């Protein structure tokens, strides 16, 4: 739980720690191998920004500055429609070494809000 987070220097650090704790909990609960949290970039509705990931690679850490258009991919579709996707055989991303066998992507919709503010995407590796 959140009370286990040690005192950190800034609100940003605390939010980052809480997001990673939530993502780790989701990964454990669903037995997924990787996960990412994307939010609407700067309040825009046409871009998603990666804000938390379980991917340990340096490329993933650098990708926090990249933004995804909401018009492409599973995450963009889930954000745009507000409908979860559970795909057993997901298309492989040829730019990544991690070939996926399944994707679960869910919209992040605050209570009493009509639209998503982001998405959570969980993936499993192709065996």
């Amino acid at each position: 739980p959140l009370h286990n987070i040690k005192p950190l220097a800034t609100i940003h650090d605390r939010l980052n720690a809480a997001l990673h704790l939530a993502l780790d909990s989701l990964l454990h609960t669903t037995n997924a191998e990787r996960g990412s949290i994307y939010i609407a970039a700067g309040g825009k509705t046409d871009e998603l920004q990666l804000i938390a990931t379980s991917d340990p690679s340096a490329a993933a850490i650098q990708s926090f500055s990249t933004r995804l258009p909401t018009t492409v991919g599973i995450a963009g579709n889930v954000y745009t429609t507000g409908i979860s996707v559970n795909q057993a055989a997901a298309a492989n991303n040829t730019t990544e070494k991690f070939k996926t066998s399944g994707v679960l992507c869910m919209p992040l919709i605050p209570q009493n809000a009509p639209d998503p503010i982001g998405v959570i995407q969980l993936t499993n590796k192709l065996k």
Side-chain angles (χ1 to χ4, degrees):
L2 292 177
H3 67 276
N4 290 336
I5 298 174
K6 295 179 182 175
L8 299 171
T10 66
I11 291 290
H12 180 268
D13 290 338
R14 289 179 183 171
L15 178 59
N16 189 38
L19 287 168
H20 280 88
L21 184 65
L23 187 56
D24 287 345
S25 180
L26 281 169
L27 290 170
H28 178 73
T29 301
T30 61
N31 205 25
E33 293 181 64
R34 287 195 181 168
S36 300
I37 300 174
Y38 299 89
I39 60 164
K44 293 182 176 183
T45 58
D46 61 346
E47 293 179 327
L48 293 173
Q49 182 173 3
L50 179 66
I51 59 164
T53 183
S54 65
D55 186 346
S57 73
I61 294 167
Q62 293 172 353
S63 69
F64 284 111
S65 62
T66 36
R67 296 174 183 212
L68 306 172
T70 58
T71 55
V72 297
I74 294 171
N77 181 53
V78 168
Y79 175 78
T80 303
T81 64
I83 300 170
S84 297
V85 169
N86 187 357
Q87 240 178 358
N92 287 324
N93 181 344
T94 57
T95 63
E96 300 291 330
K97 293 180 182 177
F98 188 84
K99 306 290 186 200
T100 58
S101 68
V103 173
L104 174 61
C105 191
M106 302 151 288
L108 292 172
I109 304 174
Q111 188 174 8
N112 300 322
D115 299 314
I117 59 166
V119 298
I120 295 175
Q121 183 168 291
L122 307 174
T123 57
N124 280 324
K125 188 175 186 177
L126 187 64
K127 303 283 185 207

